[in-house]
Every structure is written in C-alpha cells, then in structure tokens.
Amino acid sequence: MILLRTKKELESFLSLTKNNDEIGLVPTMGALHEGHLSLVSKALSHNQKVIVSIFVNPTQFNNQDDLIKYPKTLEADIELLTQISSELAIFSPTVEEIYADGVKTKSYQFDGLDKVMEGEFRDDHFNGVGTIVEMLLRLTKPTRAYFGEKDFQQLQIIKKMVKLQQLPVTIIGCPIVREPNGLAMSSRNERLTKSMRNEASFIYKTLQTAKLKFGTKSAPKVIEWVQEKFDKHDSLKLEYIEITDVETLTPIQRKQKNVKYRAFVAVYADDVRLIDNIALN
Ligand code: PAF
C-alpha cells in the first residue's frame, strides 16, 4: 500500500506507472464501508493500478455542522484497504493541498440534473461535487472512475461533468450494497442507534413494495402510497419521494415505453439524513 499525501507524491507515483497501465480511481470521503470496498474490488478487477482517494471535500457541504461531524477515520480506512489489496495507492491530501488557491466552488451547467431532489435540498452541493471530482480526475488521470448508485443523482451529474469537460475517462456506476436488513450502506449509518438501524430497514422494504406497485399503478398513486406509509411511521420522516426518468432525472408525468424509471427517497432517522433509490423497470 502506498500513501500519497501531496500532488507531488501523486505525480511521482503516476510517473512510475507503465504507459499501457490502466488506472482505476475510486473517489471517497473516507469512513469506508463495504459499499466502498465493492467499488475498490471492481476497480482492481478492471485496472492494473488503483488509486483510492480519501478527501472530505468542504465545497460539497452546505451545512458546516455536517462537515464538522463527518467521520474522519483515516487509520481504520487504510487498514480496511490493506486487507483488500497491498497494491493500492491511497491519495489523501489536505484541504490546503487540494484548494491551494482558496476553497472555491466552480459552477457547471448540469441541464437541471442538479435542481431536483438532493439539489433542491442541498444548495450548491453538486457544483461542489463537480469541482472536486473534476480536480481528482485531472490529477490522477484514470482510465475509469467508480461511483456507487446509492448516490445515483451524483453519478448522473458526474457523467454530465465529464462530458462537459471532455475528460478522457469512463465513469462506472456500481450497484448499491445493503446491510443484511436491506438498509443501504452509508457512512452515516454509524450515527444511527441500534434500534434506529433496525427501523431504517423500512426504507428499502417500502421501496421494494413501491416497485411492485409501479407495475400496475400510476406514478402519482405509488408516490401517494409511499407518503402514507411514512406518515404512519413513528420515527422515520420522509423528506421527499420522486419517481424520475433515470437519464434526465425529470419527474415522471406519464409512464412511457422504453424509458427507465427510478424511485428516490430522502428520509430523516432522528437527525440522520438517509437517501436510497430503486430501479423500477
Ligand atoms: O460520494 C462521495 O463520497 C463524494 O461525493 C465524492 C464523489 C467522493 C466527492 O467528494
């Protein structure tokens, strides 16, 4: 395992790779769990070299408290990654190293992909994600970069940014990894009490039934059903449920043939905000 703390160290690592080595990048903010590890395993199976970046990016937090509370567990993360492979390079720079000219967010034209769902509730979040992912891609120059489908909107936005900036990289989306009770793996799950972690399995169960209902019922009816289910739940508070076209992320008007749809939710479990989604067809 190689730990790279600066852009210079990263550059010298890259200069030692062979010309035809394919490089996989797995960008993370640390606090690694099995979801991240599945991305790393996929990257290892596709590429000769794999870089995992660990960087808690300040420009994507619209809430300073959330940034302060975000778990920082570099030693444990290194330990986990070393168990997967001794061949990995970990790029873990400081904020000053990355944002050498000051912590600034770039603005992108995401064609509305950033205005719905997470974008509606987290001002400028996706410009922050675009800013850091563009920087990481320019620095590490990977052949492929890997992102989880739990953050499906983020995945579509990153694909858009790569197209806009004409970056020579293939973006690979990877399926959501779930806890045995169905809860989507997330670094935030660590902040849930044991009983809330059990309660939160309700989110995926509800999405699964919504998927079944989508086979025979209209989207507004499915949405109404999900809202009612959460209204009746004692401890989980639904922030939104949307059913959208997977490409444009525009909310569904009427079901159309040959269009793929997903249902997306954001839910508060106490003060922990969880997101999840499911492919509907
Ligand atoms: O999904 C994340 O952990 C982050 O948004 C990412 C892609 C690493 C950018 O900071």
Side-chain angles (χ1 to χ4, degrees):
M1 195 276 301
I2 305 159
L3 181 60
L4 311 163
R5 300 305 302 245
T6 62
K7 292 185 217 168
K8 259 211 151 70
E9 286 172 13
L10 175 66
E11 263 168 39
S12 46
F13 167 78
L14 291 173
S15 70
L16 294 175
T17 58
K18 295 192 211 89
N19 261 349
N20 52 356
D21 270 354
E22 294 187 321
I23 297 175
L25 171 69
V26 182
T28 81
M29 296 207 298
L32 302 182
H33 50 68
E34 278 179 49
H36 296 112
L37 300 186
S38 76
L39 304 181
V40 177
S41 299
K42 191 164 252 178
L44 283 164
S45 72
H46 290 164
N47 305 279
Q48 279 76 45
K49 298 267 180 250
V50 172
I51 303 172
V52 179
S53 64
I54 299 182
F55 179 68
V56 182
N57 171 38
T59 62
Q60 70 189 79
F61 286 83
N62 47 320
N63 177 338
Q64 282 309 297
D65 199 40
D66 211 16
L67 172 60
I68 292 163
K69 278 191 190 151
Y70 203 85
K72 288 146 195 109
T73 55
L74 185 60
E75 269 181 33
D77 292 342
I78 293 175
E79 178 75 36
L80 267 180
L81 290 171
T82 312
Q83 281 168 23
I84 291 223
S85 163
S86 54
E87 299 285 291
L88 293 168
I90 301 173
F91 179 48
S92 176
T94 60
V95 172
E96 294 71 30
E97 181 70 19
I98 285 290
Y99 290 102
D101 299 329
V103 180
K104 287 184 214 127
T105 310
K106 199 168 158 179
S107 279
Y108 297 88
Q109 287 302 326
F110 289 128
D111 284 349
L113 289 174
D114 58 330
K115 298 288 176 252
V116 289
M117 300 188 287
E118 291 305 286
E120 210 179 312
F121 290 90
R122 302 178 71 186
D123 198 28
D124 230 19
H125 166 71
F126 287 118
N127 279 321
V129 170
T131 304
I132 187 62
V133 174
E134 181 179 351
M135 281 187 192
L136 291 170
L137 292 173
R138 290 193 188 279
L139 288 170
T140 57
K141 303 177 188 68
T143 319
R144 304 178 186 86
Y146 298 78
F147 298 86
E149 286 184 346
K150 184 175 80 69
D151 297 296
F152 193 87
Q153 186 173 11
Q154 165 174 284
L155 171 65
Q156 297 302 56
I157 280 174
I158 288 167
K159 284 185 182 163
K160 179 85 190 175
M161 182 276 290
V162 162
K163 211 167 176 182
L164 285 171
Q165 304 305 120
Q166 300 181 345
L167 301 176
V169 57
T170 304
I171 300 298
I172 304 205
C174 304
I176 300 175
V177 178
R178 298 183 179 279
E179 296 193 4
N181 71 4
L183 177 64
M185 294 246 179
S186 162
S187 308
R188 288 163 193 253
N189 295 356
E190 295 306 316
R191 288 172 51 205
L192 297 172
T193 60
K194 201 165 172 237
S195 74
M196 194 49 106
R197 221 166 162 136
N198 285 334
E199 294 277 340
S201 63
F202 178 84
I203 301 170
Y204 184 50
K205 286 196 189 101
T206 308
L207 285 178
Q208 282 176 306
T209 315
K211 177 180 178 142
L212 285 178
K213 290 193 182 284
F214 189 74
T216 55
K217 293 195 187 320
S218 72
K221 284 267 174 263
V222 177
I223 289 175
E224 202 181 306
W225 178 83
V226 172
Q227 282 165 337
E228 278 171 11
K229 289 294 280 183
F230 276 97
D231 281 349
K232 284 187 202 135
H233 198 281
D234 286 342
S235 43
L236 298 172
K237 196 170 157 290
L238 182 69
E239 186 172 55
Y240 66 74
I241 153 87
E242 292 281 7
I243 296 181
T244 80
D245 176 322
V246 296
E247 296 303 330
T248 62
L249 299 183
T250 46
I252 184 171
Q253 301 294 341
R254 211 167 346 102
K255 278 183 216 171
Q256 283 178 350
K257 268 198 186 153
N258 305 324
V259 176
K260 293 264 176 249
Y261 297 103
R262 263 182 194 250
F264 298 85
V265 289
V267 175
Y268 274 96
D270 292 331
D271 65 336
V272 185
R273 189 172 179 279
L274 303 170
I275 58 171
D276 202 349
N277 66 81
I278 193 167
L280 293 176
N281 56 342

